[in-house]
Amino acid sequence: EDKVVQSPLSLVVHEGDTVTLNCSYEVTNFRSLLWYKQEKKAPTFLFMLTSSGIEKKSGRLSSILDKKELFSILNITATQTGDSAVYLCLGGTSYGKLTFGQGTILTVHP
Amino acid sequence: SQTIHQWPATLVQPVGSPLSLECTVEGTSNPNLYWYRQAAGRGLQLLFYSVGIGQISSEVPQNLSASRPQDRQFILSSKKLLLSDSGFYLCAWDQREAYEQYFGPGTRLTVT
């Protein structure tokens, strides 16, 4: 059975801190790893990673995939209160199915 | 650009009543379509996915059903709702070769 495990499950930081969210996966016919941000409503897409070692960046967020060790990290630098959300990691197969991690709840205090 | 719509945004229904949630996608053709449910305090669970008109795959046996009457329309239904059907229902789409999924705004269903 495919499995995606995120850690930590929750994290509380102060504005300006840097955080690292972890995601390990065991997905048969793995094709891609995806990160989403969910704030009370529908998840919004952040990154899709298919190749090892290539960092993807978007503003203060960055992510990288290690296909040998089967994990990914999501970094957020200089956190802001608006970064407070649930961050979801998903493993995608070559035929389009997604397996969801349980999510990391990030709370950023002013 | 592509957009995905869901309605209604919120719904309160009594136990035993029927359900119909609708999802439509604009700006793309022949998408894969998905229905997910997020129960309170829990992760997202894939309920159904569809790769084309009339083609539905069910991931979890339950009293829900899905239909795809048109290329960009996906409907989630139930004949008789249970209390356990309460949750946040999300529709998503992706393009066959891309695999990053985009979610609709969701429907919050409360069964009383």
Side-chain angles (χ1 to χ4, degrees):
Chain A
E1 185 180 336
D2 293 343
K3 187 168 60 175
V4 175
V5 177
Q6 292 184 245
S7 64
L9 294 181
S10 67
L11 192 54
V12 180
V13 300
H14 288 94
E15 274 192 320
D17 290 348
T18 293
V19 298
T20 299
L21 309 184
N22 303 294
C23 175
S24 64
Y25 64 91
E26 294 174 26
V27 175
T28 306
N29 296 312
F30 174 81
R31 174 189 160 96
S32 60
L33 189 127
L34 303 100
W35 285 97
Y36 285 80
K37 177 182 181 183
Q38 186 174 22
E39 301 168 89
K40 294 186 180 177
K41 291 260 180 177
T44 53
F45 174 76
L46 295 176
F47 298 109
M48 184 178 77
L49 305 158
T50 55
S51 301
S52 259
I54 299 175
E55 186 183 51
K56 290 209 171 181
K57 283 182 72 79
S58 176
R60 296 176 293 103
L61 278 66
S62 63
S63 184
I64 198 163
L65 175 68
D66 185 327
K67 291 171 78 172
K68 182 180 177 185
E69 300 298 330
L70 306 182
F71 79 88
S72 174
I73 60 171
L74 175 69
N75 278 320
I76 309 175
T77 59
T79 51
Q80 302 170 357
T81 55
D83 294 327
S84 296
V86 176
Y87 289 84
L88 297 169
C89 173
L90 290 67
T93 70
S94 55
Y95 48 92
K97 297 272 292 291
L98 294 177
T99 300
F100 286 77
Q102 65 274 62
T104 294
I105 302 171
L106 174 65
T107 304
V108 182
H109 288 311
Chain B
S1 65
Q2 301 89 358
T3 55
I4 178 169
H5 304 279
Q6 280 186 250
W7 63 90
T10 59
L11 190 60
V12 180
Q13 292 281 96
V15 167
S17 63
L19 173 73
S20 180
L21 303 182
E22 189 164 344
C23 169
T24 59
V25 181
E26 296 177 357
T28 186
S29 59
N30 204 23
N32 295 323
L33 295 171
Y34 305 82
W35 277 112
Y36 293 91
R37 177 172 60 202
Q38 187 172 40
R42 299 173 71 177
L44 282 161
Q45 179 186 39
L46 177 63
L47 301 175
F48 302 95
Y49 69 95
S50 171
V51 299
I53 295 174
Q55 301 178 63
I56 310 294
S57 296
S58 173
E59 288 296 299
V60 182
Q62 56 211 316
N63 70 319
L64 298 171
S65 62
S67 61
R68 186 169 176 175
Q70 299 179 47
D71 181 45
R72 290 169 289 175
Q73 184 185 31
F74 205 23
I75 297 172
L76 182 69
S77 304
S78 173
K79 292 182 180 177
K80 286 186 179 181
L81 284 168
L82 306 173
L83 283 174
S84 57
D85 292 324
S86 292
F88 189 50
Y89 287 82
L90 287 161
C91 180
W93 74 274
D94 66 36
Q95 211 55 55
R96 292 181 196 290
E97 299 303 319
Y99 297 117
E100 62 265 34
Q101 289 188 3
Y102 297 91
F103 291 85
T107 295
R108 186 159 306 280
L109 171 66
T110 304
V111 182
T112 60

